[in-house]
Amino acid sequence: MAVEDEQEALLPGGDEGSSSSVPRRQMPAICDPSRFAHRIVVLTFMCFLGFGSYFCYDNPAALQTQVQLDMKVNTADFMQLYAFYSWPNVVLCFFGGFLIDRVFGIRLGTIIFSLFVCAGQVIFAAGALFNAFWLMEAGRLVFGIGGESLAVAQNTYAVSWFKGKELNLVFGLQLSMARVGSTVNMNIMGLVYERIKDAMGSAGHTTLGITLMIGALTCLFSLMCALILGYLDKRAEKILNKEQGETGEVIKLTDVKDFSLSLWLIFLVCVCYYVAVFPFIGLGKVFFIEKFQFSPVQAGAINSVVYIISAPLSPVFGFMVDRVGKNIIWVMCAVVATLAAHLMLAFTLWNPWIAMSLLGVSYSLLACALWPMVAFVVPEHQLGTAYGFMQSIQNLGLAIIAIVAGVILDSRGYLFLEVFFSACICMAIIAAVMLYFVNDLRGGDLNLSSWEREKLQKQVAIEAEKARLRRQNSESRIRPLSAFAVRVRYLSRLGAQLPEHYCSHLSSLAHRSVLK
């Protein structure tokens, strides 16, 4: 009954034809799903929906020294914690959107994926408590099943509530909150471990397990946000007759055979770039402690610089790339800057804040310039498949390189590891240069300026309108002939007597109209 009252309160003038002039009861703006104030409340829960996932994703990086000492594992085994997160997402990237759209729905799907994230972190912490590293790996696997799909659900909620209204700003805020979660993790988990160690009197796997269990509280908080979002979305659906959000992704693996060379080069840039960023951050804290003699607190702070810079700059760079265009040029600048950052870290003793700041800027720029290019080379009906495949091979690359990086660090040390990461970036540069020339030779629009792309879009729209008008004129000519043919047949059935040569002419016209 309350929902019906709320629904009536939102109707602007009651039922059509109603002569009642009694004013409707109005809800406060913060409770009205059609008002901006209520959408701000929804946006708040939407941003915190992925906070726990991003906070706990880099728990191993924030506690690398503690994990390796307390669990008695080498770096290769340690990096398995990242590999086990990525393995399920090699496949789930294709099915996350399908599960949300066709199986669970956005509300139930979000809750289920949040439960996977929460359960995975609890299992991960339990593995440390019971001194079972294999259980920690299993926890990261479960965590990975929910993590990437939860990000899809978060974006689906954003489109459902803000499509056509502040959507780009909402995506930027969500990304910023994700980076805040990663940054907070890097800077406080080491301190939490030290406080628990002081309280217990010694370090060990139990101290590590309690620390990770405290981290699980952020996942529990995100699960509560998922439950509240589900309630608010259900309420809005009843009041406003609002449809459930859908990802819009249609995955057809058969579309892979139609992918162009430009798209495969974009995939190559993506994989070669990100495998030199995320595994480095996963191992970065100990690197800064050993090479630059930083304290654990300082090392955690500098290791989070990439995320700190990305939080405010991602929306700014997104706006800049949209206004300027020239996506390939921006990608090349970002990749070259990243190579410079790795070379500085490998071969100099310069203050690492310089290199990490440069890495943060280039990382933000590349994300804003690279991912939108897929939409320029793929038809709309293949976008779901293209982005799913891009995420899939990215996770496959991250899983493999995480293991390789751990082996290299155990056997050769940090210098050789930085050379390896620099080689991956060099492959990304080669792929970006090839993409530039392939796009230029084939007359693609990946490197057009914004005004050139706008002009091209207007020309396409004009041609489409001309084609529509030609089709409409053609149909208007066919329609009278068809009606006339029907009239002739009707007269024939009535036995009307027409001249023989006139009847044959009408029959010919009727036949041609049917063929058309």
Side-chain angles (χ1 to χ4, degrees):
M1 190 65 184
V3 172
E4 292 176 359
D5 291 341
E6 290 176 346
Q7 187 170 0
E8 288 181 359
L10 290 176
L11 294 175
D15 298 334
E16 290 188 11
S18 173
S19 60
S20 173
S21 61
V22 179
R24 301 285 185 179
R25 181 176 59 84
Q26 295 294 325
M27 286 187 294
I30 200 169
C31 300
D32 186 344
S34 65
R35 304 288 292 276
F36 179 73
H38 184 79
R39 288 189 288 119
I40 289 296
V41 174
V42 173
L43 176 60
T44 303
F45 288 109
M46 208 178 290
C47 289
F48 282 110
L49 181 63
F51 182 85
S53 174
Y54 284 96
F55 180 93
C56 292
Y57 170 76
D58 270 324
N59 275 179
L63 298 169
Q64 179 187 350
T65 304
Q66 293 86 341
V67 171
Q68 289 188 241
L69 291 176
D70 295 344
M71 303 305 296
K72 299 177 177 59
V73 295
N74 58 21
T75 310
D77 291 333
F78 167 80
M79 289 302 288
Q80 289 280 3
L81 298 176
Y82 282 99
F84 271 93
Y85 175 91
S86 296
W87 287 126
N89 293 300
V90 175
V91 177
L92 281 177
C93 289
F94 291 105
F95 299 107
F98 172 79
L99 292 173
I100 291 173
D101 287 348
R102 303 288 186 262
V103 181
F104 301 131
I106 176 61
R107 293 186 286 269
L108 180 60
T110 303
I111 294 170
I112 289 174
F113 295 138
S114 296
L115 284 170
F116 268 104
V117 168
C118 197
Q121 180 66 15
V122 170
I123 295 171
F124 180 52
L129 284 171
F130 297 119
N131 198 23
F133 191 73
W134 65 268
L135 189 58
M136 296 181 72
E137 293 174 331
R140 292 291 286 183
L141 183 71
V142 175
F143 186 86
I145 291 173
E148 296 293 316
S149 297
L150 183 61
V152 174
Q154 188 180 31
N155 291 337
T156 307
Y157 263 130
V159 173
S160 176
W161 279 86
F162 294 93
K163 187 175 183 179
K165 312 168 196 170
E166 316 97 14
L167 185 58
N168 290 331
L169 176 61
V170 169
F171 279 133
L173 289 173
Q174 287 183 342
L175 180 60
S176 297
M177 183 54 67
R179 299 307 174 216
V180 168
S182 300
T183 302
V184 173
N185 160 72
M186 289 287 189
N187 287 280
I188 73 164
M189 287 302 284
L191 297 175
V192 172
Y193 181 92
E194 292 300 321
R195 291 292 180 87
I196 295 174
K197 183 180 74 172
D198 293 340
M200 297 188 65
S202 63
H205 64 86
T206 304
T207 302
L208 177 64
I210 295 174
T211 304
L212 294 174
M213 200 64 78
I214 291 174
L217 295 176
T218 62
C219 297
L220 186 61
F221 171 69
S222 292
L223 175 60
M224 292 173 60
C225 291
L227 293 169
I228 295 172
L229 265 179
Y231 166 74
L232 293 176
D233 194 65
K234 181 69 173 178
R235 178 175 175 271
E237 181 182 5
K238 289 182 178 180
I239 295 175
L240 303 178
N241 294 321
K242 174 178 169 288
E243 295 182 358
Q244 281 202 50
E246 294 186 356
T247 65
E249 297 177 3
V250 179
I251 306 297
K252 292 183 180 178
L253 294 181
T254 54
D255 290 339
V256 174
K257 69 180 187 302
D258 300 323
F259 287 171
S260 64
L261 177 59
S262 296
L263 184 60
W264 286 107
L265 289 172
I266 291 172
F267 291 164
L268 186 59
V269 173
C270 174
V271 174
C272 293
Y273 183 86
Y274 283 110
V275 298
V277 174
F278 291 127
F280 170 75
I281 293 174
L283 296 168
K285 185 174 180 179
V286 176
F287 169 72
F288 294 117
I289 292 174
E290 293 189 1
K291 180 171 182 177
F292 298 96
Q293 284 77 50
F294 282 4
S295 69
V297 174
Q298 290 174 320
I302 194 171
N303 203 33
S304 65
V305 165
V306 174
Y307 297 138
I308 294 173
I309 292 177
S310 177
L313 282 190
S314 292
V316 175
F317 280 147
F319 177 78
M320 181 185 70
V321 173
D322 284 340
R323 298 294 294 176
V324 176
K326 300 290 185 181
N327 289 59
I328 297 180
I329 298 298
W330 291 118
V331 167
M332 293 172 68
C333 292
V335 177
V336 170
T338 303
L339 177 62
H342 275 293
L343 292 177
M344 278 191 279
L345 291 170
F347 298 109
T348 74
L349 290 174
W350 297 351
N351 192 321
W353 285 94
I354 301 173
M356 291 301 288
S357 298
L358 182 61
L359 182 60
V361 171
S362 58
Y363 166 76
S364 304
L365 179 59
L366 181 121
C368 296
L370 181 70
W371 289 84
M373 284 201 296
V374 175
F376 298 149
V377 297
V378 172
E380 187 173 352
H381 68 277
Q382 292 182 347
L383 273 179
T385 306
Y387 276 119
F389 198 81
M390 191 172 181
Q391 290 174 324
S392 177
I393 62 173
Q394 180 194 24
N395 278 284
L396 179 62
L398 289 172
I400 294 173
I401 297 302
I403 299 171
V404 172
V407 173
I408 291 174
L409 186 56
D410 284 334
S411 58
R412 300 295 184 90
Y414 278 104
L415 178 61
F416 197 89
L417 180 63
E418 275 297 315
V419 172
F420 173 73
F421 286 145
S422 299
C424 292
I425 294 295
C426 288
M427 292 181 61
I429 293 175
I430 294 172
V433 172
M434 290 178 62
L435 179 62
Y436 178 87
F437 285 110
V438 168
N439 177 76
D440 188 59
L441 292 173
R442 297 188 176 184
D445 61 346
L446 291 178
N447 210 38
L448 295 179
S449 65
S450 59
W451 70 269
E452 288 173 332
R453 188 169 289 131
E454 184 178 353
K455 182 180 178 181
L456 180 63
Q457 290 172 348
K458 288 181 179 179
Q459 290 176 347
V460 171
I462 291 171
E463 292 298 324
E465 180 65 16
K466 288 181 179 178
R468 188 187 68 81
L469 291 175
R470 285 195 299 268
R471 197 162 53 246
Q472 187 178 19
N473 291 335
S474 176
E475 291 174 354
S476 65
R477 287 195 302 270
I478 292 171
R479 201 174 292 114
L481 287 173
S482 300
F484 196 42
V486 171
R487 178 66 177 166
V488 169
R489 290 168 184 160
Y490 176 70
L491 292 173
S492 298
R493 284 198 298 270
L494 293 178
Q497 298 298 318
L498 296 174
E500 183 177 353
H501 69 280
Y502 192 46
C503 288
S504 63
H505 177 64
L506 293 177
S507 299
S508 176
L509 289 176
H511 182 64
R512 281 203 299 271
S513 71
V514 171
L515 289 179
K516 289 182 180 179

